[in-house]
Amino acid sequence: MTNDTRTDSVPTAAGEADTAQAPVAMAGTLEPEAAQLDPILTAALHHIALHGYHATSVRMIAREVGVTVPALYYHYENKQAMLVALLDSSVALAISYVERALAAAGTDPVSRLQALVKAVALYSAHHRDLAILDSERRSLTEENLARYAAHRDSIESRLHEIVEDGVAQGLFATPAARNCVRAILSMTQGITGWFRPDGPRTAEETARDYERIALAAVEYRDL
Amino acid sequence: MTNDTRTDSVPTAAGEADTAQAPVAMAGTLEPEAAQLDPILTAALHHIALHGYHATSVRMIAREVGVTVPALYYHYENKQAMLVALLDSSVALAISYVERALAAAGTDPVSRLQALVKAVALYSAHHRDLAILDSERRSLTEENLARYAAHRDSIESRLHEIVEDGVAQGLFATPAARNCVRAILSMTQGITGWFRPDGPRTAEETARDYERIALAAVEYRDL
DNA sequence: ATGAGATTATCGATCGCTAAGTCAGTAGTA
DNA sequence: TACTACTGACTTAGCGATCGATAATCTCAT
């Protein structure tokens, strides 16, 4: 009972004292909205992102929350339901980044490609734990995986449209659009693997690098 | 105690007819050398690549090999030692791909970049199971991880040298060499996530796409 | 008095791992 | 050739710990 697949987002103020939004011309501001996770999911995310789903026991989660194990099962049907809820939140947040960026990006394939790459890069850097969860999708049951994959693929579809558009308009010269899309998404999600918030460069600087690399990858000639 | 952390000499003489060993180092030819894994590691690889280290029990491995659990412990000190042996094999094979390709590539940064990307791409496509193991490195103990990371980083260092070289010679125009290197490696390793040997395109065709994308990414102007 | 939300206590299954025994093959000795 | 000793490669049996999950009960605020 009481399982909920919806993403409950309580719109409290995102108390993140982060660096100011990048004043990039014509690109909409992307505010990292705080992922509103209940204490159980927060603890689950912490452990799963660090050690993986199968290496995380419900007892670890309960201990971190400060409750006993059955309290977890009052809110979630089983352990898998917690992973599902986390992946739902994760993909929802990623898509909200992308939608918001594209909505502010106009119709030019160049600025749309930049916007999408910036969105995924900032999401990957600002929400590393959630973004890393993507690698835990193989622990989903078949139907849960199918649902997740559908949402996830929507981002790839958006990117594919943009690249095809750019090729059709003669802006991008890549002869391998499909693999270009895969490459761009792989490399941008790869940011989760090395980016550290206390590292030498900010997420915004990193995102700008990746925007340029992505434009170069599709062989945009006027860089 | 039969402990032995180094290259395990375990029954390898499984009479399996595999591809002929042809250590030919012709320019542009990368012979995928068969990964020589004993039956235990073969079974372990199969399960771990599919479901992950922590989701794989020693009983599953034993069952697939056709022996009992203690037989596994006669050859490997513990479960972790099997993962270590697999990751050792994996990184050794990857490096052998890269070394062989670079040895045949001359000194031109363009052809060296192509060679390295081709090597990693073909490794990722031809040995998906081994390549996917990279994501299991977080299940290593601290010192095992350090050893693995050192080997793994050597490939990144090689690529970084090549890119810096190309920039110094005015061949590559990228203003973000470090992130370019990360992006190229991420995207190329990402091939393991979608490539299927029975898919519409061969590993070699895919590798050629990625060579071009990588050259474009470092902003090589004469594509 | 009721129900949301937590607790105590415990279930059977499975986990990684090991002590001790079996047994075929090989080397050494006469 | 025949007997002995030894070793490598396994098996049977089972250890203690932990796993995900549940039944029954308790505690309050409404």
Side-chain angles (χ1 to χ4, degrees), chain B residues 31 63 74 123 129-130 142-143 182 199:
Chain B
E31 191 72 20
R63 193 178 311 126
Y74 178 80
Y123 166 73
D129 282 359
L130 278 175
E142 204 160 343
E143 64 261 23
R182 291 180 174 128

Side-chain angles (χ1 to χ4, degrees), chain A residues 145-220:
Chain A
L145 175 59
R147 220 166 42 82
Y148 175 73
H151 284 109
R152 188 190 134 91
D153 287 349
S154 75
I155 294 180
E156 179 165 339
S157 299
R158 305 294 284 259
L159 179 54
H160 192 245
E161 270 180 37
I162 292 169
V163 172
E164 290 287 11
D165 231 40
V167 169
Q169 295 183 29
L171 288 165
F172 304 154
T174 175
R178 178 95 268 165
N179 281 343
C180 247
V181 167
R182 290 179 174 129
I184 289 172
L185 281 182
S186 290
M187 77 186 196
T188 310
Q189 292 185 282
I191 290 174
T192 57
W194 57 266
F195 183 82
R196 297 293 176 273
D198 56 345
R201 309 192 64 225
T202 69
E204 284 72 20
E205 292 170 331
T206 300
R208 272 193 289 275
D209 282 352
Y210 274 72
E211 286 174 46
R212 183 179 182 112
I213 295 172
L215 281 176
V218 296
E219 301 182 28
Y220 172 59

Side-chain angles (χ1 to χ4, degrees), chain B:
Chain B
M1 282 299 188
T2 75
N3 97 342
D4 129 340
T5 47
R6 281 313 315 168
T7 50
D8 308 274
S9 54
V10 192
T12 68
E16 298 187 8
D18 45 34
T19 54
Q21 293 256 42
V24 188
M26 289 180 51
T29 302
L30 274 178
E31 191 72 20
E33 65 181 50
Q36 290 286 53
L37 299 177
D38 65 57
I40 293 175
L41 290 187
T42 302
L45 173 60
H46 180 237
H47 274 102
I48 295 177
L50 213 59
H51 303 111
Y53 177 73
H54 286 289
T56 301
S57 73
V58 293
R59 283 167 178 80
M60 296 176 187
I61 300 172
R63 193 178 311 126
E64 180 159 324
V65 175
V67 296
T68 58
V69 169
L72 268 46
Y73 285 89
Y74 178 80
H75 295 284
Y76 294 92
E77 193 183 4
N78 48 36
K79 186 186 171 187
Q80 167 98 185
M82 302 180 205
L83 179 60
V84 169
L86 281 175
L87 283 172
D88 278 349
S89 287
S90 128
V91 74
L93 184 59
I95 287 179
S96 90
Y97 265 75
V98 170
E99 300 278 317
R100 194 171 314 188
L102 287 182
T107 60
D108 176 31
V110 172
S111 64
R112 287 181 76 79
L113 178 63
Q114 283 180 298
L116 191 145
V117 169
K118 180 182 183 181
V120 177
L122 287 183
Y123 166 73
S124 298
H126 279 141
H127 303 276
R128 259 188 314 148
D129 282 359
L130 278 175
I132 270 183
L133 278 191
D134 184 65
S135 63
E136 300 295 333
R137 65 183 189 274
R138 68 172 164 189
S139 297
L140 290 173
T141 62
E142 204 160 343
E143 64 261 23
N144 285 335
L145 174 59
R147 221 165 43 82
Y148 174 74
H151 285 111
R152 185 183 192 275
D153 288 349
S154 76
I155 295 181
E156 180 166 339
S157 299
R158 304 294 285 259
L159 179 54
H160 192 245
E161 270 179 38
I162 293 169
V163 172
E164 290 286 11
D165 231 40
V167 169
Q169 295 182 29
L171 289 164
F172 305 154
T174 174
R178 178 95 264 165
N179 281 343
C180 247
V181 166
R182 291 180 174 128
I184 289 172
L185 282 182
S186 290
M187 77 186 196
T188 310
Q189 292 185 281
I191 291 174
T192 57
W194 57 266
F195 183 82
R196 297 292 176 272
D198 56 344
R201 311 194 61 228
T202 68
E204 284 72 20
E205 292 170 331
T206 300
R208 270 192 291 275
D209 281 354
Y210 274 72
E211 287 174 45
R212 183 179 181 109
I213 296 171
L215 281 177
V218 296
E219 301 182 27
Y220 173 59
R221 300 299 191 188
D222 299 332
L223 255 188

Side-chain angles (χ1 to χ4, degrees), chain A:
Chain A
M1 313 289 271
T2 74
N3 88 342
D4 63 335
T5 47
R6 70 188 172 84
T7 58
D8 46 341
S9 56
V10 184
T12 56
E16 293 217 357
D18 233 77
T19 53
Q21 301 97 331
V24 174
M26 139 155 67
T29 59
L30 276 176
E31 358 188 323
E33 65 181 48
Q36 287 297 106
L37 300 176
D38 63 52
I40 292 176
L41 290 187
T42 302
L45 173 60
H46 180 238
H47 274 102
I48 294 177
L50 213 58
H51 304 110
Y53 176 74
H54 286 289
T56 300
S57 74
V58 293
R59 284 167 178 79
M60 296 177 187
I61 300 172
R63 192 179 311 125
E64 179 158 325
V65 176
V67 296
T68 58
V69 169
L72 267 48
Y73 284 88
Y74 179 81
H75 295 280
Y76 294 91
E77 193 183 3
N78 49 35
K79 187 185 170 188
Q80 167 97 185
M82 302 180 206
L83 179 60
V84 169
L86 280 175
L87 283 171
D88 278 350
S89 287
S90 127
V91 75
L93 184 58
I95 288 178
S96 90
Y97 264 74
V98 170
E99 300 279 318
R100 193 170 314 187
L102 288 181
T107 60
D108 174 32
V110 172
S111 65
R112 287 180 76 79
L113 178 63
Q114 283 181 296
L116 191 145
V117 168
K118 179 182 183 182
V120 176
L122 287 183
Y123 166 73
S124 298
H126 279 140
H127 303 277
R128 260 187 312 148
D129 282 357
L130 278 176
I132 270 183
L133 279 191
D134 184 64
S135 62
E136 300 295 332
R137 65 182 190 274
R138 68 173 165 190
S139 297
L140 291 173
T141 63
E142 205 160 343
E143 63 261 24
N144 285 335
L145 175 59
R147 220 166 42 82
Y148 175 73
H151 284 109
R152 188 190 134 91
D153 287 349
S154 75
I155 294 180
E156 179 165 339
S157 299
R158 305 294 284 259
L159 179 54
H160 192 245
E161 270 180 37
I162 292 169
V163 172
E164 290 287 11
D165 231 40
V167 169
Q169 295 183 29
L171 288 165
F172 304 154
T174 175
R178 178 95 268 165
N179 281 343
C180 247
V181 167
R182 290 179 174 129
I184 289 172
L185 281 182
S186 290
M187 77 186 196
T188 310
Q189 292 185 282
I191 290 174
T192 57
W194 57 266
F195 183 82
R196 297 293 176 273
D198 56 345
R201 309 192 64 225
T202 69
E204 284 72 20
E205 292 170 331
T206 300
R208 272 193 289 275
D209 282 352
Y210 274 72
E211 286 174 46
R212 183 179 182 112
I213 295 172
L215 281 176
V218 296
E219 301 182 28
Y220 172 59
R221 301 300 189 186
D222 299 332
L223 256 185

